[in-house]
Amino acid sequence: MNIDDKTIIQAIRNRTELGFRLLMQKYKQPIYWHIRRLVVSHDDAQDATQEAFVRIFRSFSLLKNEQSFKGWLFRIATNEALRVIDSRRHVQVSLDAASHDASHIMADSYVDYSYLEAVKLQKAILTLPTKQQLAFNLRYYDELSYEEIAEATDSSPSSAKTNFHIAKEKIIKYMNLNENSKE
């Protein structure tokens, strides 16, 4: 069942409970996986997803532009993911290079080790700066337009496009470098 965003917005305004049920039906999984790709941990992703939907519910009256609804949702989800990542940094005693090399994804069960290319791709994505990581994930996995990415990341469409293309080039370079180093 494909639910139109305008239908969801109208339902939230007219029948809040139904509207949020429709919202969850359409966006719970995409928001969860967006957050999961950023925070990696299933538990952190579940917590951040719940908090994102609470914030969406509380701030729905602040939605100004219905055209950017999807981008607005992903902005809230992105902010929650970044909050979780930031809170982890404060908990860790040291931030050495190893924490940035994506080795921590190996501890999580969502990585399918039988598909080594997917593992390499995740490692490559996690080496990117945050804005490039966001732009890549939102475009590649969530298939957002550059305008929606700009809304989600509080940037411009041209900045979103630039970040995506730089990220893509870095990922290709990472994948090729790791492929050549094994030969």
Side-chain angles (χ1 to χ4, degrees):
M1 179 178 180
N2 193 5
I3 308 161
D4 181 68
D5 286 349
K6 289 181 187 215
T7 303
I8 294 171
I9 293 167
Q10 284 306 108
I12 292 172
R13 289 189 176 137
N14 297 328
R15 296 179 56 206
T16 307
E17 187 179 323
L18 170 65
F20 275 94
R21 223 174 318 131
L22 294 174
L23 174 72
M24 293 296 286
Q25 191 175 358
K26 181 172 183 179
Y27 284 107
K28 184 178 181 184
Q29 290 298 318
I31 294 290
Y32 167 82
W33 283 107
H34 169 65
I35 291 172
R36 176 80 182 258
R37 283 187 288 275
L38 297 170
V39 303
V40 180
S41 160
H42 168 71
D43 292 337
D44 287 344
Q46 276 191 317
D47 292 345
T49 300
Q50 285 180 337
E51 186 60 31
F53 279 103
V54 167
R55 291 180 189 268
I56 289 165
F57 179 77
R58 288 183 180 158
S59 61
F60 187 78
S61 63
L62 301 175
L63 175 65
K64 293 176 178 72
N65 183 359
E66 291 181 13
Q67 302 300 323
S68 63
F69 181 64
K70 188 175 184 179
W72 181 77
L73 295 174
F74 276 85
R75 175 189 274 184
I76 292 170
T78 298
N79 289 340
E80 281 307 306
L82 295 176
R83 185 189 56 74
V84 168
I85 292 167
D86 190 48
S87 70
R88 272 197 222 136
R89 286 187 184 128
H90 294 304
V91 171
Q92 292 175 346
V93 176
S94 80
L95 287 176
D96 57 308
S99 68
H100 221 73
D101 76 356
S103 61
H104 61 282
I105 68 169
M106 298 307 167
D108 207 305
S109 61
Y110 95 100
V111 177
D112 180 359
Y113 296 102
S114 65
Y115 189 47
L116 293 177
E117 288 299 310
V119 173
K120 282 196 271 184
L121 177 59
Q122 284 305 312
K123 284 183 175 184
I125 292 167
L126 291 170
T127 65
L128 298 171
T130 304
K131 286 191 177 201
Q132 291 170 14
Q133 199 179 114
L134 288 170
F136 184 83
N137 284 339
L138 290 166
R139 183 75 175 166
Y140 182 78
Y141 290 110
D142 300 310
E143 300 178 351
L144 269 64
S145 69
Y146 292 117
E147 291 75 18
E148 291 168 329
I149 295 169
E151 175 69 26
T153 60
D154 196 23
S155 64
S156 68
S158 62
S159 176
K161 189 173 189 176
T162 300
N163 279 316
F164 172 75
H165 287 289
I166 291 171
K168 186 173 72 169
E169 291 304 315
K170 286 181 178 179
I171 289 169
I172 291 168
K173 186 175 180 180
Y174 181 96
M175 300 289 278
N176 288 336
L177 183 65
N178 283 329
E179 187 65 34
N180 293 336
S181 67
K182 291 187 178 190
E183 294 175 356

